[in-house]
Coordinates of all heavy atoms in Angstrom, one line a residue:
M1 N -4.5 -219.6 89.2 CA -4.1 -219.6 87.9 C -3.5 -221.0 87.5 O -3.7 -221.5 86.4 CB -3.0 -218.6 87.6 CG -3.2 -217.9 86.2 SD -2.0 -216.8 85.7 CE -1.8 -215.7 87.0
T2 N -3.0 -221.7 88.5 CA -2.4 -223.0 88.2 C -3.4 -224.0 87.7 O -3.1 -224.8 86.9 CB -1.7 -223.6 89.4 OG1 -1.2 -222.5 90.2 CG2 -0.6 -224.5 89.1
E3 N -4.6 -224.0 88.3 CA -5.7 -224.9 87.9 C -6.0 -224.7 86.4 O -6.3 -225.7 85.7 CB -6.9 -224.7 88.8 CG -6.7 -225.1 90.2 CD -6.1 -223.9 91.0 OE1 -6.2 -222.7 90.6 OE2 -5.6 -224.2 92.1
A4 N -6.1 -223.5 86.0 CA -6.4 -223.2 84.6 C -5.4 -223.6 83.6 O -5.7 -223.9 82.5 CB -6.7 -221.7 84.4
T5 N -4.1 -223.7 84.1 CA -3.0 -224.0 83.2 C -2.5 -225.4 83.4 O -1.5 -225.8 82.7 CB -1.9 -223.0 83.3 OG1 -1.4 -223.1 84.7 CG2 -2.3 -221.6 83.0
S6 N -3.2 -226.2 84.2 CA -2.6 -227.6 84.5 C -2.8 -228.5 83.3 O -2.2 -229.6 83.3 CB -3.3 -228.1 85.7 OG -4.7 -228.2 85.5
M7 N -3.6 -228.2 82.4 CA -3.9 -229.2 81.3 C -2.7 -229.3 80.3 O -2.2 -230.4 80.0 CB -5.1 -228.7 80.5 CG -6.3 -228.4 81.3 SD -7.5 -227.4 80.4 CE -6.8 -225.8 80.6
Q8 N -2.2 -228.1 79.8 CA -1.2 -228.1 78.8 C -0.5 -226.8 78.8 O -1.0 -225.8 79.4 CB -1.8 -228.4 77.4 CG -2.8 -227.4 77.0 CD -3.6 -227.8 75.8 OE1 -3.3 -228.8 75.2 NE2 -4.6 -227.0 75.5
P9 N 0.7 -226.6 78.1 CA 1.3 -225.3 78.0 C 0.4 -224.4 77.3 O -0.2 -224.7 76.2 CB 2.6 -225.6 77.3 CG 2.8 -227.0 77.4 CD 1.5 -227.7 77.6
L10 N 0.2 -223.1 77.8 CA -0.7 -222.2 77.2 C 0.0 -220.8 77.0 O 1.0 -220.5 77.8 CB -1.9 -221.9 78.1 CG -2.8 -223.1 78.4 CD1 -3.8 -222.7 79.5 CD2 -3.5 -223.6 77.2
S11 N -0.4 -220.0 76.0 CA 0.1 -218.7 75.9 C -0.6 -217.8 76.9 O -1.5 -218.2 77.6 CB -0.2 -218.2 74.5 OG -1.6 -218.0 74.3
V12 N -0.1 -216.5 77.0 CA -0.6 -215.6 78.0 C -2.1 -215.4 77.7 O -3.0 -215.4 78.6 CB 0.1 -214.3 78.0 CG1 -0.5 -213.3 78.9 CG2 1.6 -214.5 78.4
R13 N -2.4 -215.2 76.4 CA -3.8 -215.0 76.0 C -4.7 -216.1 76.4 O -5.8 -216.0 76.9 CB -3.9 -214.7 74.5 CG -5.3 -214.4 74.0 CD -5.2 -214.0 72.5 NE -4.4 -212.9 72.1 CZ -4.7 -211.6 72.2 NH1 -5.9 -211.3 72.7 NH2 -3.9 -210.7 71.9
E14 N -4.2 -217.4 76.1 CA -5.0 -218.6 76.5 C -5.2 -218.7 78.0 O -6.2 -219.2 78.4 CB -4.3 -219.8 75.9 CG -4.3 -219.9 74.4 CD -3.3 -220.9 73.8 OE1 -2.3 -221.2 74.5 OE2 -3.6 -221.4 72.7
I15 N -4.1 -218.3 78.7 CA -4.3 -218.4 80.2 C -5.4 -217.4 80.7 O -6.2 -217.7 81.5 CB -2.9 -218.0 80.9 CG1 -1.9 -219.2 80.6 CG2 -3.1 -217.8 82.4 CD1 -0.5 -218.9 81.1
V16 N -5.4 -216.2 80.1 CA -6.4 -215.2 80.5 C -7.8 -215.7 80.2 O -8.7 -215.6 81.0 CB -6.1 -213.8 79.8 CG1 -7.3 -212.9 80.0 CG2 -4.9 -213.2 80.3
I17 N -7.9 -216.3 79.0 CA -9.2 -216.9 78.6 C -9.7 -218.0 79.6 O -10.8 -218.0 80.0 CB -9.2 -217.3 77.1 CG1 -9.1 -216.1 76.2 CG2 -10.4 -218.2 76.8 CD1 -8.7 -216.5 74.8
A18 N -8.7 -218.9 79.9 CA -9.0 -220.0 80.8 C -9.4 -219.5 82.2 O -10.3 -220.0 82.8 CB -7.8 -221.0 80.9
V19 N -8.7 -218.5 82.7 CA -9.0 -217.9 84.0 C -10.3 -217.2 84.0 O -11.1 -217.4 85.0 CB -7.8 -217.0 84.4 CG1 -8.2 -216.3 85.7 CG2 -6.5 -217.8 84.6
K20 N -10.6 -216.5 82.9 CA -12.0 -215.9 82.8 C -13.1 -217.0 82.8 O -14.1 -216.8 83.5 CB -12.1 -215.0 81.6 CG -11.4 -213.7 81.7 CD -11.6 -212.9 80.5 CE -11.0 -211.5 80.6 NZ -11.2 -210.7 79.4
K21 N -12.8 -218.1 82.1 CA -13.8 -219.1 82.1 C -14.0 -219.8 83.4 O -15.1 -220.3 83.8 CB -13.4 -220.2 81.1 CG -13.7 -219.9 79.6 CD -13.3 -221.0 78.7 CE -13.5 -220.6 77.3 NZ -13.0 -221.7 76.3
A22 N -12.9 -219.8 84.2 CA -13.0 -220.3 85.6 C -13.8 -219.4 86.5 O -14.1 -219.8 87.7 CB -11.6 -220.6 86.1
G23 N -14.1 -218.2 86.1 CA -14.9 -217.3 86.9 C -14.2 -216.1 87.5 O -14.8 -215.3 88.2
H24 N -12.9 -215.9 87.2 CA -12.2 -214.8 87.8 C -12.6 -213.5 87.0 O -12.6 -213.5 85.8 CB -10.7 -215.0 87.7 CG -9.9 -213.9 88.3 ND1 -9.9 -213.7 89.7 CD2 -9.2 -212.9 87.7 CE1 -9.1 -212.6 89.9 NE2 -8.7 -212.1 88.7
V25 N -12.8 -212.4 87.7 CA -13.1 -211.1 87.1 C -11.8 -210.3 87.4 O -11.4 -210.0 88.5 CB -14.3 -210.4 87.7 CG1 -14.5 -209.1 87.1 CG2 -15.5 -211.3 87.5
F26 N -11.2 -209.8 86.3 CA -10.0 -209.0 86.4 C -10.3 -207.6 86.8 O -11.2 -207.0 86.2 CB -9.2 -209.1 85.1 CG -8.5 -210.4 84.8 CD1 -9.1 -211.4 84.0 CD2 -7.3 -210.7 85.4 CE1 -8.5 -212.6 83.8 CE2 -6.7 -211.9 85.1 CZ -7.3 -212.8 84.3
Q27 N -9.5 -207.0 87.6 CA -9.6 -205.6 88.0 C -9.0 -204.7 86.9 O -9.4 -203.6 86.8 CB -9.0 -205.3 89.4 CG -9.6 -206.1 90.5 CD -11.0 -205.5 90.9 OE1 -11.2 -204.4 90.9 NE2 -11.9 -206.4 91.2
S28 N -8.0 -205.2 86.3 CA -7.2 -204.5 85.3 C -8.0 -204.3 84.0 O -8.8 -205.1 83.6 CB -5.9 -205.2 85.0 OG -5.2 -204.6 83.9
A29 N -7.8 -203.1 83.4 CA -8.4 -202.8 82.1 C -7.8 -203.7 81.0 O -8.4 -204.0 80.0 CB -8.2 -201.4 81.7
D30 N -6.5 -204.1 81.2 CA -5.8 -205.0 80.2 C -5.3 -206.2 81.0 O -4.1 -206.3 81.4 CB -4.6 -204.2 79.6 CG -4.0 -204.9 78.5 OD1 -4.5 -206.0 78.1 OD2 -3.0 -204.4 77.9
P31 N -6.1 -207.2 81.1 CA -5.7 -208.4 81.9 C -4.5 -209.2 81.2 O -3.7 -209.8 81.9 CB -7.0 -209.3 81.9 CG -7.9 -208.8 80.9 CD -7.5 -207.3 80.6
I32 N -4.4 -209.1 79.9 CA -3.3 -209.8 79.3 C -2.0 -209.2 79.7 O -1.0 -209.9 80.0 CB -3.4 -209.8 77.7 CG1 -4.6 -210.6 77.3 CG2 -2.1 -210.2 77.0 CD1 -5.0 -210.6 75.9
K33 N -1.9 -207.9 79.8 CA -0.7 -207.2 80.3 C -0.4 -207.5 81.7 O 0.8 -207.8 82.1 CB -0.9 -205.7 80.1 CG 0.4 -204.9 80.4 CD 0.1 -203.4 80.1 CE 1.4 -202.6 80.3 NZ 1.2 -201.2 80.0
S34 N -1.4 -207.5 82.6 CA -1.1 -207.8 84.0 C -0.7 -209.3 84.2 O 0.2 -209.5 85.0 CB -2.4 -207.4 84.9 OG -3.5 -208.2 84.5
V35 N -1.4 -210.2 83.5 CA -1.0 -211.6 83.7 C 0.4 -211.8 83.1 O 1.2 -212.5 83.6 CB -2.0 -212.5 83.0 CG1 -1.5 -213.9 82.9 CG2 -3.3 -212.5 83.7
G36 N 0.7 -211.1 81.9 CA 2.0 -211.2 81.3 C 3.1 -210.7 82.3 O 4.2 -211.3 82.4
S37 N 2.9 -209.6 82.9 CA 3.9 -209.0 83.8 C 4.1 -210.0 85.0 O 5.2 -210.1 85.5 CB 3.5 -207.6 84.3 OG 2.3 -207.6 85.0
Y38 N 3.0 -210.7 85.4 CA 3.2 -211.7 86.5 C 4.0 -212.8 86.0 O 5.0 -213.3 86.7 CB 1.8 -212.1 87.0 CG 1.9 -213.3 87.9 CD1 2.3 -213.2 89.3 CD2 1.7 -214.6 87.5 CE1 2.4 -214.3 90.1 CE2 1.9 -215.7 88.3 CZ 2.2 -215.5 89.6 OH 2.3 -216.6 90.4
L39 N 3.7 -213.4 84.9 CA 4.4 -214.6 84.4 C 5.9 -214.3 84.1 O 6.7 -215.2 84.3 CB 3.7 -215.1 83.1 CG 2.3 -215.7 83.3 CD1 1.6 -215.9 82.0 CD2 2.4 -216.9 84.1
Y40 N 6.2 -213.1 83.6 CA 7.6 -212.8 83.2 C 8.3 -212.3 84.5 O 9.6 -212.1 84.4 CB 7.6 -211.8 82.1 CG 7.2 -212.4 80.8 CD1 6.0 -212.1 80.2 CD2 8.1 -213.2 80.1 CE1 5.6 -212.6 79.0 CE2 7.7 -213.7 78.9 CZ 6.4 -213.4 78.3 OH 6.1 -214.0 77.1
G41 N 7.6 -212.0 85.5 CA 8.3 -211.5 86.8 C 8.9 -212.6 87.6 O 8.8 -213.8 87.3
P42 N 9.5 -212.3 88.7 CA 10.2 -213.3 89.6 C 9.2 -214.3 90.1 O 9.5 -215.5 90.2 CB 10.8 -212.5 90.7 CG 10.3 -211.1 90.6 CD 9.7 -210.9 89.2
E43 N 8.0 -213.9 90.5 CA 7.0 -214.9 91.0 C 6.6 -215.9 90.0 O 6.5 -217.1 90.2 CB 5.8 -214.2 91.6 CG 6.0 -213.6 93.0 CD 6.1 -214.7 94.0 OE1 5.3 -215.6 94.1 OE2 7.1 -214.5 94.8
G44 N 6.3 -215.4 88.8 CA 5.9 -216.2 87.7 C 7.0 -217.2 87.3 O 6.7 -218.4 87.0
K45 N 8.2 -216.7 87.2 CA 9.3 -217.6 86.9 C 9.5 -218.7 87.8 O 10.0 -219.8 87.5 CB 10.6 -216.7 86.7 CG 10.6 -215.9 85.5 CD 11.9 -215.1 85.4 CE 11.8 -214.2 84.1 NZ 13.0 -213.4 84.0
R46 N 9.1 -218.4 89.1 CA 9.3 -219.5 90.1 C 8.2 -220.5 90.0 O 8.4 -221.7 90.3 CB 9.2 -218.8 91.5 CG 10.1 -219.5 92.5 CD 10.2 -218.8 93.8 NE 9.1 -217.9 94.1 CZ 8.9 -217.2 95.2 NH1 9.8 -217.4 96.1 NH2 7.9 -216.4 95.4
H47 N 7.0 -220.1 89.6 CA 5.8 -221.0 89.5 C 5.6 -221.6 88.1 O 4.9 -222.6 88.0 CB 4.6 -220.3 90.0 CG 4.6 -219.9 91.4 ND1 4.9 -218.7 91.8 CD2 4.6 -220.7 92.6 CE1 4.9 -218.6 93.1 NE2 4.7 -219.8 93.6
F48 N 6.1 -221.0 87.1 CA 5.8 -221.4 85.7 C 7.1 -221.6 84.9 O 8.0 -220.8 85.1 CB 4.9 -220.5 85.0 CG 3.5 -220.4 85.5 CD1 3.2 -219.5 86.5 CD2 2.5 -221.3 85.1 CE1 1.9 -219.4 87.1 CE2 1.2 -221.2 85.6 CZ 0.9 -220.3 86.6
K49 N 7.1 -222.6 84.1 CA 8.3 -222.7 83.2 C 7.8 -222.3 81.8 O 6.6 -222.5 81.4 CB 8.9 -224.1 83.2 CG 7.9 -225.2 82.8 CD 8.6 -226.6 83.0 CE 7.6 -227.7 82.7 NZ 8.1 -229.0 83.0
R50 N 8.7 -221.8 81.0 CA 8.3 -221.3 79.7 C 9.1 -222.0 78.6 O 10.3 -222.2 78.7 CB 8.6 -219.8 79.6 CG 8.3 -219.2 78.3 CD 8.5 -217.7 78.4 NE 8.4 -217.1 77.1 CZ 9.2 -216.2 76.6 NH1 10.3 -215.9 77.2 NH2 9.0 -215.8 75.4
A51 N 8.3 -222.5 77.6 CA 9.0 -223.1 76.4 C 8.2 -222.8 75.2 O 6.9 -222.9 75.2 CB 9.0 -224.6 76.6
N52 N 8.9 -222.3 74.2 CA 8.3 -221.9 72.9 C 7.1 -220.9 73.1 O 6.1 -221.0 72.4 CB 7.7 -223.1 72.2 CG 8.8 -224.1 71.9 OD1 10.0 -223.7 71.6 ND2 8.5 -225.4 71.9
G53 N 7.3 -219.9 74.0 CA 6.3 -218.9 74.2 C 5.1 -219.3 74.9 O 4.1 -218.5 75.0
K54 N 5.1 -220.5 75.5 CA 3.9 -221.0 76.2 C 4.4 -221.3 77.6 O 5.5 -221.6 77.9 CB 3.4 -222.3 75.5 CG 2.9 -222.0 74.1 CD 1.7 -222.7 73.8 CE 1.3 -222.3 72.4 NZ -0.1 -222.6 72.1
F55 N 3.4 -221.2 78.6 CA 3.7 -221.4 80.0 C 3.0 -222.6 80.5 O 1.9 -222.9 80.1 CB 3.2 -220.2 80.8 CG 4.0 -218.9 80.5 CD1 3.5 -218.1 79.4 CD2 5.1 -218.6 81.2 CE1 4.2 -216.9 79.1 CE2 5.8 -217.4 80.9 CZ 5.3 -216.6 79.8
S56 N 3.7 -223.4 81.4 CA 3.1 -224.5 82.1 C 3.6 -224.5 83.5 O 4.7 -223.9 83.8 CB 3.5 -225.8 81.4 OG 4.9 -226.0 81.3
P57 N 2.9 -225.1 84.4 CA 3.3 -225.0 85.8 C 4.7 -225.7 86.0 O 5.0 -226.7 85.3 CB 2.2 -225.9 86.5 CG 1.0 -225.8 85.6 CD 1.6 -225.7 84.2
A58 N 5.5 -225.1 86.9 CA 6.8 -225.6 87.1 C 6.8 -226.9 87.8 O 7.7 -227.7 87.8 CB 7.6 -224.6 87.9
G59 N 5.7 -227.2 88.5 CA 5.6 -228.5 89.3 C 6.3 -228.4 90.6 O 7.2 -227.7 90.8
G60 N 5.8 -229.2 91.5 CA 6.4 -229.2 92.9 C 6.0 -228.0 93.6 O 5.2 -227.2 93.3
S61 N 6.7 -227.8 94.7 CA 6.5 -226.6 95.5 C 7.3 -225.4 95.0 O 8.2 -225.6 94.3 CB 6.9 -226.9 97.0 OG 8.3 -227.1 97.1
S62 N 7.0 -224.2 95.5 CA 7.7 -223.1 95.1 C 9.0 -222.9 95.8 O 9.9 -222.2 95.4 CB 6.8 -221.8 95.4 OG 6.6 -221.7 96.8
A63 N 9.2 -223.7 96.9 CA 10.5 -223.7 97.6 C 11.5 -224.6 96.9 O 11.1 -225.6 96.4 CB 10.3 -224.1 99.0
P64 N 12.7 -224.2 96.8 CA 13.7 -225.1 96.2 C 13.9 -226.4 96.9 O 13.9 -226.4 98.1 CB 15.0 -224.3 96.2 CG 14.8 -223.2 97.1 CD 13.3 -223.0 97.3
A65 N 14.0 -227.5 96.2 CA 14.1 -228.8 96.8 C 15.5 -229.0 97.3 O 16.4 -228.7 96.7 CB 13.7 -229.9 95.8
A66 N 15.6 -229.6 98.5 CA 16.8 -229.9 99.1 C 17.4 -231.2 98.6 O 16.6 -232.1 98.3 CB 16.7 -230.0 100.6
K67 N 18.7 -231.3 98.4 CA 19.2 -232.5 97.9 C 19.1 -233.6 99.0 O 19.2 -233.3 100.2 CB 20.7 -232.3 97.6 CG 20.9 -231.4 96.4 CD 22.4 -231.2 96.1 CE 22.6 -230.2 94.9 NZ 24.0 -229.9 94.7
A68 N 19.0 -234.8 98.6 CA 18.9 -235.9 99.5 C 20.2 -236.0 100.4 O 21.3 -236.0 99.9 CB 18.7 -237.2 98.8
G69 N 20.0 -236.0 101.7 CA 21.1 -236.1 102.6 C 21.9 -234.8 102.8 O 22.8 -234.8 103.5
A70 N 21.4 -233.7 102.2 CA 22.1 -232.5 102.4 C 21.8 -231.9 103.8 O 20.7 -232.0 104.3 CB 21.7 -231.5 101.3
V71 N 22.8 -231.3 104.4 CA 22.6 -230.7 105.7 C 22.8 -229.2 105.5 O 23.8 -228.8 104.9 CB 23.7 -231.3 106.7 CG1 23.5 -230.6 108.0 CG2 23.5 -232.8 106.8
A72 N 22.0 -228.4 106.1 CA 22.1 -227.0 106.0 C 23.3 -226.5 106.8 O 23.6 -227.0 107.9 CB 20.8 -226.3 106.6
K73 N 24.0 -225.6 106.2 CA 25.2 -225.1 106.8 C 24.8 -224.0 107.9 O 23.9 -223.2 107.6 CB 26.1 -224.3 105.8 CG 26.7 -225.3 104.8 CD 27.6 -224.5 103.8 CE 28.2 -225.4 102.7 NZ 29.0 -224.6 101.8
P74 N 25.5 -224.1 109.0 CA 25.1 -223.1 110.0 C 25.7 -221.7 109.6 O 26.6 -221.6 108.9 CB 25.9 -223.6 111.3 CG 27.0 -224.4 110.8 CD 26.5 -225.0 109.5
A75 N 25.0 -220.7 110.0 CA 25.4 -219.3 109.6 C 26.7 -219.0 110.3 O 27.0 -219.5 111.4 CB 24.3 -218.3 110.1
K76 N 27.5 -218.2 109.6 CA 28.8 -217.8 110.2 C 28.6 -216.9 111.4 O 27.7 -216.1 111.4 CB 29.7 -217.1 109.2 CG 30.3 -218.0 108.1 CD 31.2 -217.2 107.3 CE 32.0 -218.1 106.3 NZ 32.9 -217.3 105.5
A77 N 29.4 -217.1 112.4 CA 29.3 -216.2 113.6 C 29.7 -214.8 113.2 O 30.6 -214.5 112.4 CB 30.3 -216.7 114.6
K78 N 29.0 -213.9 113.7 CA 29.2 -212.4 113.4 C 30.5 -212.1 114.1 O 30.8 -212.3 115.2 CB 28.1 -211.6 114.0 CG 28.2 -210.2 113.6 CD 26.9 -209.4 114.1 CE 27.1 -207.9 113.7 NZ 26.0 -207.2 114.2
R79 N 31.4 -211.4 113.3 CA 32.7 -211.0 113.8 C 32.6 -209.6 114.3 O 32.2 -208.7 113.6 CB 33.7 -211.1 112.6 CG 33.9 -212.5 112.1 CD 34.8 -212.6 111.0 NE 36.1 -212.1 111.3 CZ 37.1 -212.0 110.4 NH1 36.9 -212.3 109.2 NH2 38.3 -211.5 110.8
T80 N 32.9 -209.5 115.6 CA 32.9 -208.2 116.2 C 34.3 -207.6 116.4 O 35.3 -208.4 116.5 CB 32.2 -208.2 117.6 OG1 33.0 -209.2 118.4 CG2 30.8 -208.7 117.5
M81 N 34.4 -206.3 116.3 CA 35.7 -205.6 116.4 C 35.8 -205.0 117.8 O 34.8 -204.4 118.3 CB 35.7 -204.5 115.3 CG 37.1 -204.1 114.9 SD 37.1 -202.8 113.6 CE 36.3 -203.6 112.3
S82 N 37.0 -205.1 118.3 CA 37.2 -204.6 119.7 C 37.2 -203.0 119.5 O 37.5 -202.5 118.5 CB 38.5 -205.0 120.2 OG 39.6 -204.4 119.5
P83 N 36.9 -202.3 120.6 CA 36.9 -200.8 120.6 C 38.3 -200.3 120.1 O 38.4 -199.3 119.4 CB 36.6 -200.4 122.0 CG 35.8 -201.6 122.5 CD 36.4 -202.8 121.9
A84 N 39.4 -201.0 120.6 CA 40.7 -200.5 120.2 C 40.9 -200.7 118.7 O 41.5 -199.8 118.0 CB 41.8 -201.3 121.0
A85 N 40.5 -201.8 118.1 CA 40.6 -202.0 116.7 C 39.8 -201.0 115.9 O 40.2 -200.5 114.9 CB 40.3 -203.4 116.4
R86 N 38.6 -200.8 116.4 CA 37.7 -199.8 115.7 C 38.3 -198.4 115.7 O 38.2 -197.7 114.7 CB 36.3 -199.8 116.5 CG 35.3 -199.1 115.7 CD 33.9 -199.2 116.3 NE 33.4 -200.5 116.5 CZ 33.2 -201.1 117.7 NH1 33.3 -200.4 118.8 NH2 32.8 -202.3 117.8
K87 N 39.0 -198.1 116.8 CA 39.6 -196.8 116.9 C 40.8 -196.7 115.9 O 41.0 -195.7 115.2 CB 40.2 -196.5 118.3 CG 40.8 -195.2 118.6 CD 41.2 -195.0 120.0 CE 41.8 -193.7 120.3 NZ 42.2 -193.5 121.7
K88 N 41.6 -197.8 115.8 CA 42.7 -197.8 114.8 C 42.2 -197.6 113.4 O 42.8 -196.9 112.6 CB 43.5 -199.1 114.9 CG 44.4 -199.2 116.0 CD 45.2 -200.5 116.0 CE 46.1 -200.7 117.1 NZ 46.8 -201.9 117.1
V89 N 41.1 -198.3 113.1 CA 40.5 -198.2 111.7 C 40.0 -196.8 111.5 O 40.3 -196.2 110.4 CB 39.4 -199.3 111.5 CG1 38.6 -199.0 110.2 CG2 40.0 -200.7 111.6
A90 N 39.4 -196.2 112.4 CA 38.8 -194.8 112.3 C 40.0 -193.9 112.0 O 39.9 -193.0 111.2 CB 38.0 -194.4 113.5
E91 N 41.1 -194.0 112.8 CA 42.2 -193.1 112.6 C 42.9 -193.3 111.2 O 43.2 -192.3 110.6 CB 43.3 -193.4 113.7 CG 42.8 -192.9 115.1 CD 43.8 -193.4 116.2 OE1 44.7 -194.1 115.9 OE2 43.5 -193.0 117.4
A92 N 42.9 -194.5 110.8 CA 43.5 -194.8 109.5 C 42.7 -194.2 108.4 O 43.2 -193.6 107.4 CB 43.7 -196.3 109.3
V93 N 41.4 -194.3 108.5 CA 40.5 -193.7 107.5 C 40.6 -192.2 107.5 O 40.6 -191.6 106.4 CB 39.0 -194.2 107.7 CG1 38.0 -193.4 106.9 CG2 38.9 -195.7 107.5
R94 N 40.6 -191.6 108.7 CA 40.8 -190.1 108.7 C 42.1 -189.7 108.1 O 42.1 -188.7 107.4 CB 40.7 -189.7 110.2 CG 39.3 -189.6 110.7 CD 39.3 -188.9 112.1 NE 38.2 -189.4 112.9 CZ 38.3 -190.3 113.9 NH1 39.5 -190.7 114.3 NH2 37.2 -190.7 114.5
A95 N 43.2 -190.4 108.4 CA 44.5 -190.1 107.8 C 44.4 -190.3 106.3 O 45.0 -189.4 105.5 CB 45.6 -191.0 108.4
Y96 N 43.7 -191.3 105.8 CA 43.6 -191.5 104.3 C 42.9 -190.3 103.7 O 43.4 -189.8 102.7 CB 42.9 -192.8 104.1 CG 42.4 -193.0 102.6 CD1 43.3 -193.5 101.7 CD2 41.1 -192.7 102.2 CE1 42.9 -193.6 100.4 CE2 40.7 -192.8 100.9 CZ 41.6 -193.3 100.0 OH 41.2 -193.4 98.7
W97 N 41.8 -189.9 104.2 CA 41.0 -188.8 103.6 C 41.7 -187.5 103.8 O 41.7 -186.6 102.9 CB 39.6 -188.8 104.2 CG 38.8 -189.8 103.6 CD1 38.3 -191.0 104.2 CD2 38.4 -189.9 102.2 NE1 37.6 -191.7 103.3 CE2 37.6 -191.1 102.1 CE3 38.5 -189.1 101.1 CZ2 37.1 -191.5 100.9 CZ3 38.0 -189.5 99.9 CH2 37.2 -190.7 99.8
A98 N 42.5 -187.3 104.9 CA 43.2 -186.0 105.0 C 44.3 -186.0 103.9 O 44.5 -184.9 103.3 CB 43.9 -186.0 106.4
K99 N 45.0 -187.1 103.7 CA 46.0 -187.1 102.6 C 45.4 -186.9 101.3 O 45.9 -186.2 100.4 CB 46.7 -188.5 102.7 CG 47.9 -188.6 101.8 CD 48.5 -190.0 102.0 CE 49.7 -190.2 101.0 NZ 50.3 -191.5 101.2
K100 N 44.2 -187.5 101.0 CA 43.5 -187.4 99.8 C 43.1 -186.0 99.5 O 43.3 -185.4 98.4 CB 42.3 -188.3 99.8 CG 41.7 -188.6 98.5 CD 42.3 -189.7 97.8 CE 41.4 -190.2 96.7 NZ 42.1 -191.2 95.9
K101 N 42.6 -185.3 100.5 CA 42.1 -183.9 100.4 C 43.3 -183.0 100.2 O 43.2 -182.0 99.4 CB 41.4 -183.4 101.7 CG 40.0 -183.8 101.7 CD 39.3 -183.2 102.9 CE 37.8 -183.6 103.0 NZ 37.2 -183.0 104.2
A102 N 44.4 -183.3 100.8 CA 45.7 -182.4 100.6 C 46.1 -182.5 99.2 O 46.6 -181.6 98.6 CB 46.7 -182.9 101.6
G103 N 46.0 -183.7 98.6 CA 46.4 -183.9 97.2 C 45.5 -183.2 96.2 O 45.9 -182.9 95.1
M104 N 44.3 -183.0 96.6 CA 43.3 -182.3 95.6 C 43.5 -180.8 95.5 O 43.1 -180.2 94.5 CB 41.9 -182.6 96.1 CG 41.4 -184.0 96.0 SD 39.7 -184.1 96.5 CE 39.5 -185.8 96.6
K105 N 44.1 -180.2 96.5 CA 44.3 -178.7 96.5 C 45.3 -178.3 95.5 O 46.2 -178.8 95.0 CB 44.6 -178.2 97.9 CG 43.4 -178.4 98.8 CD 43.7 -177.8 100.1 CE 42.6 -178.0 101.1 NZ 42.8 -177.5 102.4

């Protein structure tokens, strides 16, 4: 679809017409609706920008560009709980719910 829209910003109807002219045969009975749902969906928003009801390619790659000199942060280490701490938490939760149930009666 990008090749058909690379000339200028186009409406959904104009995009469908350009894609048909390029030789694509739509499987959908309503190609305008299917192309529109793509363009307004998350994938389309990533690949196309919209201005005044017309769509044009967003430009560049679909992956977000990294800032110059930016270094990726390492993932935080997974925090594990000791069996003793897990037991304390479980007992506290059981006590909480026992107290809560007693108050409901």
Side-chain angles (χ1 to χ4, degrees):
M1 219 183 311
T2 328
E3 294 83 21
T5 60
S6 62
M7 307 162 282
Q8 60 189 355
L10 300 171
S11 69
V12 176
R13 183 177 302 278
E14 293 167 334
I15 291 172
V16 170
I17 292 168
V19 171
K20 281 183 178 179
K21 282 182 182 176
H24 181 74
V25 179
F26 288 96
Q27 297 288 322
S28 172
D30 188 5
I32 292 174
K33 187 175 181 181
S34 61
V35 170
S37 60
Y38 170 78
L39 290 171
Y40 289 105
E43 280 292 311
K45 286 180 181 176
R46 217 173 20 178
H47 295 104
F48 293 91
K49 59 184 174 185
R50 181 174 170 228
N52 301 325
K54 301 218 176 200
F55 294 88
S56 59
S61 67
S62 60
K67 293 180 183 176
V71 178
K73 293 182 183 178
K76 285 189 175 181
K78 188 175 177 182
R79 296 174 62 182
T80 56
M81 203 180 295
S82 70
R86 195 174 301 118
K87 186 176 179 181
K88 280 184 183 179
V89 170
E91 288 171 358
V93 170
R94 282 191 208 103
Y96 168 81
W97 283 109
K99 185 177 177 182
K100 193 88 163 169
K101 279 186 179 181
M104 288 184 193
K105 292 182 181 179

